[in-house]
Amino acid sequence: MSELGIVVTDIARADGATVDALAAHGVATVHEAMGRRGLAGPSIRPVQQGARVAGTAVTVLSWPGDNLMIHAAIEQCEAGDILVVATTSPSTDGAFGDLFATALKARGVRGLVTATGVRDTQDLREMGFPVWSNGVHAQGTVKATAGSVNVPVIIDGMLVHPGDVVIADDDGVVCVPRLEAEGALAAADARVAKEDADRAAYGSGVELSLDRKGLRALLSDLGVRYVRQDEHDR
């Protein structure tokens, strides 16, 4: 477990231009380009639809039912960040709402990814502050126990270090380690170029994915046979 009772300041962050370029590719493309690593599990879902953001992670490790360290984390946030909140044990209490979002939006924070619940969801949507959470729950929290800010955290299987790139959209959330961001972008660029070529081929109606991807040989190797219906029904 990460150290408790500490706020780490002046963290190193991924390059902003690289972050923005990764955002344009989205979660699924970046996840595939990185070799299917870094994806949060399906419990982390968007509160809204149609939002796609990426930012550098400011992380929070809180006790369940306690949002004290979110208050402490706001001071460490800068423009272009995404706040990432984990708890020491599972909690779906509504640890985040519109007041936190107002403060974060004023600092240029691009969104929230949290293993907790959230509330004030209509307000969050109306103010355009995107959130990915473990649920929606009006249950409030206390401010009583020391946690930490800017330490490594895990959100439904996704490991996040402070300063990493976090990308979130309708498909979920993925984390790109800070030192791998440029390589991930190059791999994502290459994947998009390949998919664009595939899309054009399929859109022409001439070429099938079975042929373009060389899958007919694989079907044959697996023993798949093609049989006419009249022969099959005999």
Side-chain angles (χ1 to χ4, degrees), residues 24-159:
H25 288 317
V27 170
T29 295
V30 173
H31 175 236
E32 294 284 352
M34 287 202 306
R36 300 185 179 180
R37 295 182 292 121
L39 190 66
S43 72
I44 308 302
R45 302 177 61 84
V47 168
Q48 65 293 306
Q49 291 291 305
R52 175 180 286 178
V53 299
T56 42
V58 168
T59 64
V60 178
L61 183 61
S62 291
W63 287 83
D66 192 311
N67 68 2
L68 174 62
M69 300 313 294
I70 298 178
H71 289 272
I74 292 173
E75 184 179 24
Q76 303 306 316
C77 290
E78 298 180 358
D81 286 340
I82 286 182
L83 189 64
V84 179
V85 180
T87 52
T88 58
S89 61
S91 174
T92 56
D93 291 345
F96 186 97
D98 70 311
L99 292 179
F100 273 144
T102 299
L104 290 173
K105 191 172 182 181
R107 299 180 76 87
V109 174
R110 295 176 173 177
L112 168 77
V113 174
T114 180
T116 72
V118 296
R119 58 185 186 178
D120 305 327
T121 54
Q122 180 176 344
D123 298 316
L124 294 173
R125 287 188 289 269
E126 289 177 352
M127 67 190 296
F129 188 83
V131 169
W132 288 258
S133 75
N134 189 30
V136 175
H137 197 186
Q139 175 65 50
T141 56
V142 300
K143 302 164 186 60
T145 310
S148 290
V149 175
N150 283 331
V151 297
V153 298
I154 296 176
I155 305 286
D156 197 353
M158 177 182 69
L159 174 63

Side-chain angles (χ1 to χ4, degrees), residues 174-190:
V174 68
C175 178
V176 179
R178 177 175 63 88
L179 297 180
E180 297 182 27
E182 291 185 4
L185 176 58
D189 286 342

